[in-house]
Amino acid sequence: MVHSEEDAQDGGTRPTKRRATRACDSCRSRKIKCDNDTTNGACSNCLNMKIECKQTLQKQKRGPKVGSRRRPASDIKYLVYKILAAPISFAIPEELQTIREMFVDLATYARNLEHELDRLQPPPSASSASAQAGSSPLALSSTPPSNHDSQSEDEFDVVQSLSARINRIGFGKFRQRHVTPASQLLLRTALDIRDEVNGVESRVMSSRQRRPEFWYPSPWHQCFEPEEPVYVFPEDDLLRQLVALYFSNVHYLFPLLHQPTFENHLFKEKLHLTDTCFSATLLAVCAIGSRHSNDPRVLTDENQLRSAGWKYFKQIRLSRASFVQPVSLFEVQLYALCTIFMQPSPLGEASSSLVGMGIRFAQEVGAHKKHPPGKTPQERIERELWKRAYWVLVSLDFFLSSSTGRPRATTEKDIELEFLTPCDDEYWINESDPELCFEQPPEKPSYVDYWNHFLRLIFLAGKIHHIRSSECPPQEVMMELAASLDQWMDSMPSHLRWDPHNSNGIFFQQSMMLQGAYYWLQCIIHHPFVRPGPVSPLNFSSLAISTNAARSYVHLLDRYLQRPDALILPHMIPPAFISSVVLLINIWKSTWMNSAMDREKDIAQVYRCLEIMSMYENRYEMPGRFRCVKTSFNMIFLFRTV
């Protein structure tokens, strides 16, 4: 078979049809194929439409303008690295045109990265959108992202801080958690040395190096998700009453929530109808407020005041069904509220587990670390609420550890968080002037000062364990603690000093709590040395100090309850019980040593404690138990002294 010369040149292949090098004006405007280069004149489209086929539009060149000096992507990345490596000593060009070109290049590079990020970002699904809203657990997707060529990966090499680089190594699509810098130190050092050798910050890990089976959840990682609970809330009028009782009786002693924000979520946004976590938090608030209500609708048993609030509390799910979902502020607040409600009940032993869970969950998001204040008022409110939640959990952990003798879930050395902002709830938001948000009037003391001063006492109490572990003599350690405790008392603000005639009801309650905590901590410091072994001068001094503190607390509690606005708070029960036990020890020891001490006064104070317990046991079970224990002690004392 004979082939033509063109066929020989083409290697025997079939010739391919070529596109027109330049389309005519009509085909270009209609965006259709033009064949004017094959017809040696007018294209077939113009001939069919019987119009003139002409080429007047000039082809525009792509790329930068002639004379421009646009940097390639690699040079821009190196420029970014030099600026971030030495932000203070970086040499800025003197020519204005050079600076302008540098800004334009950086802005163009950032815009290209934004476009590439939008292109690579997977579209949000319904499950992920609901997880971000906080109304349902985090949905897991087993579909890995699509692969891209190496050029796209190079363009997507975003220059970020070292911590962000570490996060890109440590987290895929799994749940992100707060990690301490100490655990990242070695890896961070390795990255710094590598970049110094290469002269540029390079990619930590490309998407091709991440094997999907190890970096993305699989179908079997889907945890069991129970059905959403159906909550039953109080009637509207009772709901408003219980929320008001919580904020008027408990909030000033445990500043956990922000009243305007909470009420806005509840009464305006109706968040309890859509967010199950906020619904549980609301039920816990109603349960605590029920203990200060005389409405029979809050009772589970119509004949028992101790059943107040349990119809709301028993609806709350105290344990997670899934630990994959992200931590929310409402959940951490819920653990603190449930602990406050459970402490004086027979379920108080389980509250230590709730405190531990709350502290751990708060640490996952870094709530125990110091963060800069938010830029907007809403961000500042959220930061302050996280601080409140964490400090309340720390205080509850201290109370439980002091009462049960168990180790604390966290210690002061683990906390890098500043104290609360001394500003009342009503001054957090200033709609007329946002610059005045979180500004307490200088002539008005804040009720938050009480909480900050109480937190200083907790830090002071953290030194107690050194009494047993320190190599110093116990006398020196105890003298140091006593001096620190007296210094704490001297530094108390004037509006928080104990005054039984204080006309301000909030400051009256707070001053009583601080004064009582002072006496209580004195007993805690000295009670290990009341009788640790052989009789010694340290035994007598510790017993004398503890006895004086116990007498002072009973007298303080007696004066407090004489006020008509005094609240029956369960947090006063453990110190009252400890005081009565110390007084009984002093009575027994004076009897054993045939001391000439007048025991009738101490016996009268012990019986006064029993009377106070009888006032509390109508609402709480814990004082009833303590009263039974003290009654048995008194019977033993009377039997031995007859």
Side-chain angles (χ1 to χ4, degrees), residues 114-402:
E114 290 179 355
H115 291 329
E116 187 66 19
L117 182 60
D118 294 338
R119 186 175 67 84
L120 296 177
Q121 188 72 19
S125 59
S127 58
S128 62
S130 61
Q132 293 177 0
S135 58
S136 63
L138 181 64
L140 299 178
S141 174
S142 59
T143 305
S146 58
N147 294 330
H148 302 278
D149 53 12
S150 59
Q151 183 178 359
S152 299
E153 291 182 356
D154 293 338
E155 294 176 355
F156 191 57
D157 189 5
V158 184
V159 180
Q160 297 181 355
S161 62
L162 288 175
S163 60
R165 295 160 62 196
I166 301 297
N167 289 337
R168 288 202 299 269
I169 292 179
F171 306 106
K173 289 294 183 180
F174 291 100
R175 176 184 177 192
Q176 184 172 352
R177 293 180 171 89
H178 170 78
V179 182
T180 58
S183 61
Q184 302 175 351
L185 182 60
L186 183 60
L187 185 57
R188 185 176 298 180
T189 302
L191 293 175
D192 290 341
I193 295 175
R194 184 196 65 176
D195 293 343
E196 291 174 3
V197 173
N198 296 335
V200 63
E201 184 184 35
S202 55
R203 178 187 299 277
V204 176
M205 183 183 299
S206 65
S207 60
R208 291 179 179 271
Q209 293 174 304
R210 295 189 178 188
R211 291 175 289 176
E213 63 269 24
F214 298 105
W215 286 86
Y216 297 92
S218 301
W220 57 82
H221 293 139
Q222 182 70 40
C223 299
F224 170 74
E225 301 293 346
E227 297 181 357
E228 296 293 338
V230 179
Y231 292 128
V232 179
F233 301 100
E235 295 82 353
D236 291 342
D237 62 325
L238 182 59
L239 180 63
R240 291 182 177 272
Q241 174 190 345
L242 296 180
V243 171
L245 287 173
Y246 169 83
F247 281 104
S248 61
N249 296 332
V250 182
H251 177 63
Y252 297 107
L253 300 178
F254 288 92
L256 175 66
L257 309 175
H258 179 232
Q259 186 173 0
T261 300
F262 186 85
E263 293 179 348
N264 182 67
H265 289 331
L266 174 59
F267 300 120
K268 292 184 179 180
E269 300 177 4
K270 305 291 184 182
L271 193 59
H272 62 293
L273 303 179
T274 57
D275 192 320
T276 56
C277 199
F278 179 77
S279 302
T281 305
L282 173 61
L283 288 175
V285 169
C286 293
I288 297 175
S290 298
R291 286 180 167 167
H292 302 275
S293 174
N294 295 323
D295 197 313
R297 290 178 293 177
V298 303
L299 301 179
T300 305
D301 186 346
E302 297 179 357
N303 299 323
Q304 293 291 340
L305 293 178
R306 291 188 297 272
S307 66
W310 285 95
K311 62 190 307 182
Y312 311 123
F313 182 80
K314 67 180 181 181
Q315 302 180 50
I316 301 173
R317 298 181 178 180
L318 296 178
S319 60
R320 277 186 169 201
S322 172
F323 286 87
V324 182
Q325 66 188 58
V327 178
S328 68
L329 176 62
F330 294 145
E331 183 180 10
V332 177
Q333 291 173 344
L334 176 64
Y335 291 132
L337 292 169
C338 291
T339 302
I340 294 174
F341 182 81
M342 293 172 61
Q343 255 188 315
S345 73
L347 302 182
E349 292 291 332
S351 59
S352 59
S353 300
L354 291 179
V355 171
M357 291 173 59
I359 289 177
R360 285 303 183 191
F361 285 148
Q363 290 173 346
E364 283 189 5
V365 298
H368 62 300
K369 297 291 184 179
K370 184 178 182 179
H371 297 280
K375 298 180 180 179
T376 63
Q378 187 61 35
E379 291 179 356
R380 294 192 64 182
I381 290 175
E382 186 175 358
R383 294 279 175 85
E384 193 68 20
L385 285 174
W386 273 109
K387 287 198 302 183
R388 285 190 170 192
Y390 192 76
W391 280 123
V392 169
L393 287 172
V394 169
S395 66
L396 294 174
D397 183 33
F398 165 71
F399 281 127
L400 292 172
S401 175
S402 302

Side-chain angles (χ1 to χ4, degrees), residues 518-532:
Y518 170 77
Y519 296 138
W520 183 36
L521 191 57
Q522 278 188 324
C523 293
I524 293 177
I525 291 175
H526 291 276
H527 82 78
F529 300 95
V530 170
R531 190 179 179 183

Side-chain angles (χ1 to χ4, degrees), residues 67-101:
S68 64
R69 296 181 298 174
R70 179 172 297 178
R71 296 177 176 86
S74 59
D75 292 346
I76 300 178
K77 288 188 290 186
Y78 181 65
L79 174 63
V80 172
Y81 174 76
K82 290 197 303 181
I83 295 175
L84 296 179
I88 299 178
S89 60
F90 176 76
I92 301 177
E94 297 181 357
E95 299 181 1
L96 182 62
Q97 182 63 24
T98 305
I99 298 176
R100 186 184 303 277
E101 292 176 357

Side-chain angles (χ1 to χ4, degrees), residues 573-588:
I573 301 172
F577 176 75
I578 292 177
S579 299
S580 62
V581 172
V582 171
L583 291 174
L584 285 174
I585 292 176
N586 186 60
I587 295 172
W588 290 337

